[in-house]
Amino acid sequence: METPNYPILVVGTEETFVHKLSQDLQEVGYSVVATTNTGVAWQELQNLQPAMVIIDRALPAEAGLKLCSRIRSAGLRIPVVLLMAKETVEDRMVCLEAGADDYLLKPYRIEGLIQMIRFYLEPETKIMEQLKFGDLILDLASRRVIRAGRTIDLTMKEFELLKYLMAHPREVLTREQILENVWGYDFIGESNVIEVYIRYLRLKIEDDGERRLIQTVRGVGYVLREAQS
């Protein structure tokens, strides 16, 4: 694949780690701008318009989470990945609440990191321009979601999850199918990561009290269908 025109911004905890991560990315053809200072990182965001941001959550005083939240508050929609030391449900929820698209465990495997970057940055060939289900519209070109005329902002991972569900309406999808097709790389950890993302996706697409569309099939997975009255 072609590497992005704009660099990947890396924000880490220490110079040695940042240097190693930068080298790993540069060796496979990516341009990298790296810093251990979130203030400098914010300036680089304004000046360089990077293709992706990778932030170490271990930055002091939760500076990594705060930078992630600031990116989203500014309306920037670039992919943001958090590097985390553990992956409890609470950690995942904090990751999503800060506006991150995804996370990767430390110490990272370079293969997993590259697969994740490609998942977010590799352009897709879009055959259909829109997916529709009831009053829910997913625009593939603009990556916007609209329900009953209301525009909904989703992270990239939430968007990919909803796209997969809408591409298979009324079909019960197992957790294994969702992990394989949405996450798109070797996933390490229990599958309740899906529950975390489903929860936040429901909160967004049902924010105005709309009828539930993503149904839980207990012990199996999820299905996109109209709620039974």
Side-chain angles (χ1 to χ4, degrees):
M1 78 172 258
E2 294 183 4
T3 55
N5 294 326
Y6 297 101
I8 294 173
L9 176 61
V10 174
V11 190
T13 53
E14 56 183 26
E15 294 290 348
T16 302
F17 174 81
V18 164
H19 180 71
K20 174 65 167 57
L21 179 53
S22 299
Q23 275 194 324
D24 286 341
L25 295 177
Q26 289 167 349
E27 285 177 1
V28 292
Y30 290 102
S31 172
V32 179
V33 173
T35 181
T36 57
N37 185 298
T38 55
V40 172
W42 182 251
Q43 291 301 317
E44 297 290 8
L45 274 162
Q46 309 302 306
N47 298 332
L48 297 176
Q49 298 181 322
M52 171 181 267
V53 185
I54 300 174
I55 304 172
D56 193 339
R57 191 193 163 180
L59 285 160
E62 299 288 12
L65 291 177
K66 292 174 183 176
L67 176 61
C68 185
S69 297
R70 188 178 183 185
I71 290 171
R72 295 307 181 218
S73 296
L76 301 176
R77 301 182 65 86
I78 58 175
V80 177
V81 173
L82 284 176
L83 292 171
M84 301 200 305
K86 54 184 179 177
E87 57 166 351
T88 66
V89 171
E90 290 76 16
D91 287 313
R92 293 168 185 159
M93 292 178 66
V94 167
C95 170
L96 289 176
E97 287 171 351
D101 296 290
D102 219 323
Y103 67 88
L104 193 67
L105 287 181
K106 297 191 303 181
Y108 65 88
R109 294 184 301 114
I110 184 60
E111 296 85 0
L113 177 61
I114 297 305
Q115 285 177 333
M116 179 180 287
I117 292 173
R118 287 176 176 169
F119 180 81
Y120 282 107
L121 300 186
E122 185 174 3
E124 290 184 284
T125 300
K126 298 177 176 64
I127 299 173
M128 298 176 60
E129 289 300 315
Q130 289 186 339
L131 294 174
K132 297 182 180 180
F133 188 85
D135 59 357
L136 187 65
I137 300 172
L138 185 144
D139 191 289
L140 295 172
S142 67
R143 302 188 70 87
R144 291 193 310 158
V145 176
I146 300 170
R147 185 167 192 190
R150 175 173 62 92
T151 300
I152 304 167
D153 289 326
L154 300 180
T155 67
M156 291 191 73
K157 186 64 70 181
E158 291 166 343
F159 184 93
E160 294 297 334
L161 174 56
L162 182 59
K163 182 175 74 171
Y164 184 60
L165 292 169
M166 292 183 70
H168 301 84
R170 303 180 183 88
E171 177 182 341
V172 177
L173 302 170
T174 67
R175 290 174 175 80
E176 291 74 19
Q177 286 176 302
I178 295 171
L179 281 173
E180 180 180 351
N181 289 277
V182 175
W183 269 253
Y185 56 90
D186 292 334
F187 184 81
I188 301 174
E190 69 270 31
S191 64
N192 66 359
V193 65
I194 300 172
E195 279 74 4
V196 175
Y197 278 90
I198 289 287
R199 173 188 172 186
Y200 279 89
L201 191 54
R202 281 173 171 162
L203 286 172
K204 290 184 177 182
I205 67 175
E206 300 165 11
D207 183 56
D208 283 355
E210 293 100 337
R211 179 177 296 181
R212 172 156 292 182
L213 296 180
I214 303 174
Q215 313 296 334
T216 301
V217 181
R218 193 174 301 277
V220 181
Y222 297 91
V223 57
L224 185 74
R225 67 183 175 205
E226 301 85 350
Q228 297 178 351
S229 56

